[in-house]
């Protein structure tokens, strides 16, 4: 539904389970386009056709599936599920020091997210950085280009260059997650699965096109993306393009992501 709203189409009526729109495909005075809010699928009664978010944009924008992904990355920035004020990427962030996690505030932040310290120390560093003339520190996950995703209790930011994180262990199975706390949560909940797999942390859905060259080396791709519209769209891309891809979000059905379930269950 938010994809339509971003394109200037709004519901004429809405219930708990569904929303009705004037068809985005033609001019009409009575709404015939329905979206199931539970299933996140649409059906146009005038066309007798329906589908998922990707199908909608393929028809609406006359694009290929590949082009739709580029459109979502460039035009919508896949940001409608995350308020902009929650993530702040500031040019000129300068990394001062990285070291093992020892500060009580960083240990406390891991504890609040229900991540054991030994798992946090395995994948993250305590990073001191300068931003806007202030010296700050955060938990950091390094990407494959040497940039850092930085998280503390009050801030989500990153340093350049921003990219995906690839934990390569020469395994035949690949786990794909969106953010660092998805990785940490999965390592907490299923340590053997994580140990037996290579990992890609996207750090942004927009990096999907950049990781596709990596995927030919794997026999299985396990998708642990978010339960939101961006995650749904990205999951559909992988399921349509790769027969070896598997949607694993039943693991945290009813929760936005793995960490939200981990916190709720502990």
């Amino acid at each position: 539904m938010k994809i339509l709203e971003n394109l200037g189409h709004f519901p004429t009526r809405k219930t708990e389970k569904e929303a009705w729109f004037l068809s985005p495909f033609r001019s009409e005075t009575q709404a015939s386009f329905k979206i199931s809010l539970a299933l996140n699928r649409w059906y146009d009664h005038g066309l007798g056709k329906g589908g998922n978010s990707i199908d909608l944009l393929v028809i609406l924008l006359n694009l290929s599936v590949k082009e739709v992904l580029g459109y979502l990355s460039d035009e919508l920035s896949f940001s409608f599920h995350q308020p902009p004020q929650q993530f702040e990427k500031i040019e000129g962030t300068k990394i001062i020091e990285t070291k093992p996690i020892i500060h009580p505030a960083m240990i406390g932040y891991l504890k609040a997210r229900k991540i054991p310290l030994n798992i946090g120390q395995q994948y993250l560093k305590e990073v001191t950085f300068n931003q806007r003339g202030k010296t700050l520190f955060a938990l950091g996950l390094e990407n494959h280009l040497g940039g850092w995703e930085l998280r503390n209790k009050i801030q989500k930011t990153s340093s350049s260059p921003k990219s995906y994180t690839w934990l390569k262990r020469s395994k035949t199975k690949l786990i794909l997650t969106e953010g660092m706390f998805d990785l940490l949560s999965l390592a907490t909940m299923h340590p053997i699965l994580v140990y037996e797999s290579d990992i890609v942390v996207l750090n942004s859905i927009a990096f999907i096109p950049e990781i596709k060259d990596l995927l030919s080396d794997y026999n299985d791709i396990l998708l642990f993306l978010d339960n939101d519209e961006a995650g749904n769209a990205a999951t559909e891309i992988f399921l349509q393009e790769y027969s070896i891809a598997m949607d694993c979000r039943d693991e945290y059905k009813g929760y936005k992501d793995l960490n939200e379930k981990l916190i709720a269950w502990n």
Side-chain angles (χ1 to χ4, degrees), residues 58-76:
V58 165
I59 299 172
L60 191 60
L61 302 177
N62 193 27
L63 298 175
S64 67
V65 170
K66 182 178 181 180
E67 289 169 331
V68 164
L69 178 60
Y71 173 84
L72 288 169
S73 297
D74 295 337
E75 301 298 329
L76 301 183

Side-chain angles (χ1 to χ4, degrees), residues 115-124 183-185 187-189 191:
I115 305 299
L117 178 58
N118 66 308
I119 290 178
Q121 289 175 328
Q122 183 177 350
Y123 296 99
L124 307 182
L183 165 61
L184 298 174
S185 299
T188 301
M189 299 160 71

Side-chain angles (χ1 to χ4, degrees), residues 12-27:
T12 60
R13 67 181 187 274
K14 183 180 176 182
T15 68
E16 185 177 338
K17 296 182 179 180
E18 61 190 26
W20 287 85
F21 293 74
L22 296 175
S23 175
F25 304 123
R26 61 187 176 278
S27 177

